[in-house]
Amino acid sequence: MTAQHTDQPTLSIPWEGVRELFHSWSGKGDLFAGLAAVLGNDEFSRWTKRDVERRAHRVLFENCGESLQRMPVRLRDWLAIIPVHSRVSPAAGPEPQGRIDWAATRRTGWPPREFVGRTRQRTSDEALLSALRWTVERMLLVYRDSRYNDLRRKKPLVEKQLEVLDELVTRPELQQVEPTLPDVATIKDLRRSGPRWRIVADLADLLRQEEGPDLIALAKAQIVPDEELASALFHLGVFGLVLTSLKSDGYRPVSLRPLHGGASGAAYELVFSGQTWYLWFEAGALWTRYGQVEPYVAATKGLLRPGQAKSPDIMLINEESRRALIIECKYSKDHKYLRSGYSQALAYLTEARTSMIDLGAAFVVAPSEMVATLSTGHTLVGPVSFCAPEQLKGAFRAAFAELRRTGN
């Protein structure tokens, strides 16, 4: 279901469904892992959570470009702004140190047994330096991630600024403190510390958003601008819409496994009026579950590079009544690519009718901007419909009600 790339503006995402999933997700790790579960199902590529994070960091690096351009290109300019304070402390010892208090020294005896005086120590502002170290280290990680597996990419315009940051992070002034994720108060302190520190504050504010609890904001900032990642997010959103549709019918889906993490099998179980349905997310393991070989795998077995099991994006199946609904997600402005969803959905439905089900229907869900109205074609194996996400909920509920009725 991976979309083809274009230079055109990004299409819309079904955020209602995305929010449904995000309710039970704890942070960016769940988001990146969920996207990897979609992208990693491709027959020709495998994605991990870390792969998705690196890809998202390409977008984040571009977002940081303006702040990076305003940063110093010489190390001494950085060292000049590191905040240093003086602190006077009493000192006593066998050797003179700092400014000697001769009266106090005389009271120890003469010749003096020890010299009493005051020393001045220079200390740096630890909070600001900890925030600076975190920001620099995080920025360098994002930059390295943005070039992962693509080192031939043109060097960025901010190469000199990045080289200086690479040198700055090794300085003892930064190494003496632990990197600390800056909070809102620290960001404010950075902004009040001078013009160059305001640049650090702007950069830190961008970088820290990835560590926050607002997954919607993170998805909009770092996922949606990348069309391949947006395609996977669209898939997750459609799955969330299916869950909301089922809940509106009185079902209480029980989670059987996370959508990510390498688990296989149905994602949810639904029991209602004596019927048990299983909701699959990336249903590639469906054939193994039923102890069968997918017809596509059998047909391509004799090739030098045989095919692997193909996976309906979303499938709802009742094993006893042998009924199922299949959903294929297509996210693109390429009309030919969208139309190819028909052959995929029809193939999935035909294969399911071969040995798993007696009745079913399939939907191809495309972005709202690409669908004028819901339309359905009737075939020997069942109806195949094209629809937008907002049309899916009603159409899915109607088709599901019909399958429940005929399955009794």
Side-chain angles (χ1 to χ4, degrees):
M1 55 76 63
T2 300
Q4 297 177 354
H5 290 265
T6 69
D7 294 328
Q8 301 179 37
T10 305
L11 298 164
S12 60
I13 299 292
W15 292 110
E16 178 188 356
V18 173
R19 289 188 179 90
E20 173 66 31
L21 295 184
F22 284 3
H23 286 325
S24 59
W25 289 5
S26 59
K28 68 174 184 178
D30 286 337
L31 171 59
F32 293 155
L35 294 169
V38 178
L39 296 165
N41 194 55
D42 192 291
E43 185 176 2
F44 304 105
S45 65
R46 292 293 178 264
W47 288 65
T48 67
K49 178 174 69 174
R50 186 71 177 103
D51 292 329
V52 175
E53 183 178 30
R54 291 187 182 105
R55 186 63 172 262
H57 281 170
R58 289 189 185 183
V59 178
L60 180 56
F61 179 70
E62 295 298 325
N63 292 343
C64 294
E66 183 179 346
S67 294
L68 284 170
Q69 289 179 27
R70 294 155 49 209
M71 284 190 161
V73 295
R74 297 179 301 183
L75 179 62
R76 64 173 179 268
D77 293 333
W78 275 111
L79 298 179
I81 68 168
I82 289 180
V84 177
H85 305 289
S86 295
R87 184 178 62 189
V88 177
S89 303
E95 301 292 335
Q97 298 182 58
R99 193 175 209 177
I100 303 302
D101 184 339
W102 290 109
T105 299
R106 176 69 181 83
R107 286 194 290 270
T108 67
W110 199 265
R113 293 191 296 271
E114 64 177 3
F115 293 89
V116 179
R118 294 179 297 172
T119 60
R120 185 178 298 275
Q121 297 177 328
R122 292 164 60 84
T123 60
S124 300
D125 189 312
E126 186 172 333
L128 293 187
L129 285 183
S130 294
L132 176 61
R133 179 175 174 181
W134 181 90
T135 303
V136 173
E137 290 183 350
R138 190 66 182 174
M139 186 67 258
L140 292 172
L141 170 66
V142 168
Y143 171 59
R144 289 192 295 270
D145 281 357
S146 73
R147 295 180 62 80
Y148 183 76
N149 275 348
D150 196 5
L151 296 178
R152 293 174 298 176
R153 293 176 66 195
K154 184 186 299 184
K155 291 186 177 180
L157 296 175
V158 291
E159 182 182 6
K160 290 184 178 180
Q161 288 89 336
L162 290 165
E163 288 176 352
V164 171
L165 290 181
D166 207 15
E167 189 176 357
L168 175 64
V169 78
T170 65
R171 293 284 303 184
E173 292 88 345
L174 266 66
Q175 289 297 310
Q176 70 181 348
V177 298
E178 291 297 320
T180 304
L181 174 69
D183 55 19
V184 174
T186 303
I187 295 291
K188 290 182 178 179
D189 288 342
L190 289 171
R191 296 193 191 283
R192 289 194 292 260
S193 298
R196 288 179 182 164
W197 283 98
R198 283 196 289 273
I199 303 173
V200 176
D202 291 341
L203 188 59
D205 209 21
L206 276 172
L207 295 171
R208 65 189 287 273
Q209 290 175 15
E210 190 179 66
E211 307 302 323
D214 191 344
L215 292 182
I216 293 292
L218 174 59
K220 289 181 177 180
Q222 291 180 224
I223 304 303
V224 173
D226 184 301
E227 189 168 352
E228 191 164 13
L229 296 185
S231 177
L233 186 65
F234 181 83
H235 182 162
L236 290 172
V238 171
F239 186 78
L241 288 179
V242 171
L243 286 175
T244 60
S245 178
L246 292 169
K247 289 179 179 179
S248 67
D249 271 346
Y251 281 88
R252 292 295 177 265
V254 176
S255 176
L256 301 179
R257 67 169 180 89
L259 300 186
H260 46 77
S264 62
Y268 288 87
E269 179 186 68
L270 307 96
V271 180
F272 187 76
S273 299
Q275 293 187 6
T276 301
W277 293 77
Y278 293 98
L279 180 61
W280 287 72
F281 176 81
E282 294 293 352
L286 190 68
W287 297 95
T288 301
R289 164 70 176 82
Y290 286 91
Q292 300 177 24
V293 177
E294 183 191 7
Y296 167 74
V297 173
T300 60
K301 185 177 181 180
L303 298 177
L304 293 177
R305 295 186 63 184
Q308 300 178 10
K310 287 188 173 295
S311 170
D313 289 340
I314 301 166
M315 187 172 187
L316 181 64
I317 184 170
N318 185 311
E319 299 173 358
E320 294 181 359
S321 66
R322 294 174 61 86
R323 303 288 194 267
L325 291 174
I326 291 171
I327 297 176
E328 174 68 14
C329 302
K330 289 294 180 187
Y331 182 84
S332 177
K333 284 192 173 183
D334 185 327
H335 296 281
K336 183 178 179 180
Y337 173 73
L338 295 179
R339 290 193 296 269
S340 72
Y342 174 81
S343 59
Q344 286 182 266
L346 184 60
Y348 295 146
L349 188 56
T350 301
E351 288 188 331
R353 283 292 305 272
T354 302
S355 56
M356 290 184 189
I357 64 174
D358 299 323
L359 196 64
F363 295 91
V364 181
V365 185
S368 304
E369 295 85 350
M370 305 305 296
V371 181
T373 184
L374 183 146
S375 53
T376 303
H378 295 275
T379 77
L380 288 175
V381 293
V384 179
S385 303
F386 276 83
C387 65
E390 60 268 22
Q391 298 158 346
L392 174 66
K393 290 178 66 177
F396 183 86
R397 292 183 66 189
F400 187 32
E402 178 63 18
L403 291 183
R404 294 201 310 270
R405 183 184 65 78
T406 58
N408 285 323

